[in-house]
């Protein structure tokens, strides 16, 4: 099927049945879009591989960059029920994303993005796409090409940010292994924060063990910092690297 670029049109008027705590809460498209600038990405399903490993995590990682450029919220729409979406959000620890359970597919159908995934046992799901919406009006859509499988080429967070700000450049990804109560770890994190650099913290004893850091670096000390796929070292090496 040929997907229609709906840029310039209003988003479909839909009420989503969501679960917050022990209560049902109906959320309308007006609640989500009226008077706001919203980045939306839609995907085939919660807990599915690309959605969990790349699509949602990258939007969550770059949320501050979106906010700094006038985006009020980031929505993830999927044809899943609210219990599944809430469980996925908790599993992903994606505190910057609002998940929207389009359980009946009404919003996705209104967008012309409902597709059959019967061959996978999924039933009807959303084609992968993203869009920038201002006060309920779609300014720009990025629709994945119609290919076999599940293409993921244009609906990513980086593409959306570059549309919003053509001068935006991606920061190299940073990971830091730390230990609780480690003063050198605190120093390393402070150095990164002073430079305005976002990072992912891997806490030894919680997120990984010393076996992992030894296997990667040959050391068991903390912190151990990686930037853009390059091993930097501890806090002193990080300080020297950032001073260049």
């Amino acid at each position: 099927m040929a997907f229609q670029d709906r840029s310039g049109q209003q988003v479909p008027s839909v009420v989503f049945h969501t679960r917050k705590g022990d209560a049902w809460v109906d959320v309308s498209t007006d609640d989500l879009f009226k008077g706001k600038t919203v980045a939306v990405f839609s995907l085939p399903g919660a807990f599915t591989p690309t959605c969990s490993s790349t699509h949602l995590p990258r939007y969550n990682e770059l949320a501050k960059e979106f906010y700094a450029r006038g985006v009020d919220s980031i929505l993830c729409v999927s044809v899943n029920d609210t219990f599944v979406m809430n469980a996925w959000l908790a599993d992903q620890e994606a505190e910057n994303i609002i998940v929207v359970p389009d359980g009946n597919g009404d919003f996705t159908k209104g967008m012309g993005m409902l597709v059959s995934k019967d061959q996978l046992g999924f039933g009807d799901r959303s084609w992968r796409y993203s869009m920038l919406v201002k006060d309920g009006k779609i300014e720009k859509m990025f629709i994945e090409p119609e290919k076999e499988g599940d293409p993921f080429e244009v609906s990513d967070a980086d593409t959306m940010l570059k549309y919003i700000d053509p001068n935006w450049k991606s920061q190299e990804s940073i990971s830091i292994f730390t230990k609780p109560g480690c003063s050198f770890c605190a120093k390393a994190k402070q150095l990164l924060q002073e430079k305005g650099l976002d990072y992912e913290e891997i806490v030894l004893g919680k997120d990984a063990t010393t076996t992992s850091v030894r296997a990667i670096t040959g050391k068991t000390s903390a912190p151990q910092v990686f930037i853009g796929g390059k091993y930097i070292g501890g806090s002193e090496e990080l300080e020297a690297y950032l001073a260049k």
Side-chain angles (χ1 to χ4, degrees), residues 4-153:
Q4 179 185 350
D5 185 335
R6 296 179 181 268
S7 298
Q9 300 181 22
Q10 294 293 122
V11 296
S13 180
V14 172
V15 174
F16 303 98
H17 305 297
T18 74
R19 191 77 172 178
K20 295 184 179 179
D22 294 326
W24 285 100
V25 178
D26 282 350
V27 177
S28 70
T29 42
D30 276 352
D31 295 328
L32 295 172
F33 296 104
K34 191 172 183 178
K36 301 175 184 177
T37 296
V38 184
V40 182
F41 63 102
S42 189
L43 38 78
F47 293 104
T48 54
T50 302
C51 306
S52 297
S53 65
T54 310
H55 208 171
L56 183 143
R58 186 61 171 164
Y59 272 95
N60 186 61
E61 179 185 355
L62 294 178
K64 291 180 182 178
E65 302 285 349
F66 280 99
Y67 300 154
R69 289 159 178 79
V71 172
D72 296 300
S73 57
I74 304 171
L75 309 185
C76 173
V77 180
S78 183
V79 182
N80 289 111
D81 67 70
T82 185
F83 293 100
V84 169
M85 292 296 278
N86 287 347
W88 186 43
L89 184 67
D91 180 73
Q92 288 281 309
E93 298 181 350
E95 68 280 356
N96 300 309
I97 306 299
I98 298 172
V99 291
V100 181
D102 188 27
N104 293 327
D106 295 332
F107 184 86
T108 304
K109 188 183 300 180
M111 287 295 302
M113 292 291 156
L114 197 67
V115 296
S116 172
K117 295 280 185 178
D118 288 351
Q119 74 278 14
L120 299 176
F122 284 10
D124 290 337
R125 294 295 179 99
S126 176
W127 189 252
R128 202 182 291 274
Y129 69 94
S130 66
M131 60 182 176
L132 185 67
V133 181
K134 295 186 176 180
D135 194 25
K137 185 177 181 179
I138 302 167
E139 177 179 304
K140 177 67 175 178
M141 283 189 74
F142 294 96
I143 305 169
E144 293 296 340
E146 296 181 53
K147 298 179 179 179
E148 288 295 321
D150 179 24
F152 181 47
E153 301 174 13

Side-chain angles (χ1 to χ4, degrees), residues 208-241:
T209 69
T210 53
T211 300
S212 293
V213 73
R214 185 191 298 114
I216 296 169
T217 69
K219 304 175 185 295
T220 58
S221 58
Q224 297 296 332
V225 182
F226 294 81
I227 300 179
K230 179 182 178 182
Y231 174 54
I232 305 302
S235 57
E236 292 183 359
E237 290 84 0
L238 175 63
E239 186 171 22
Y241 176 86

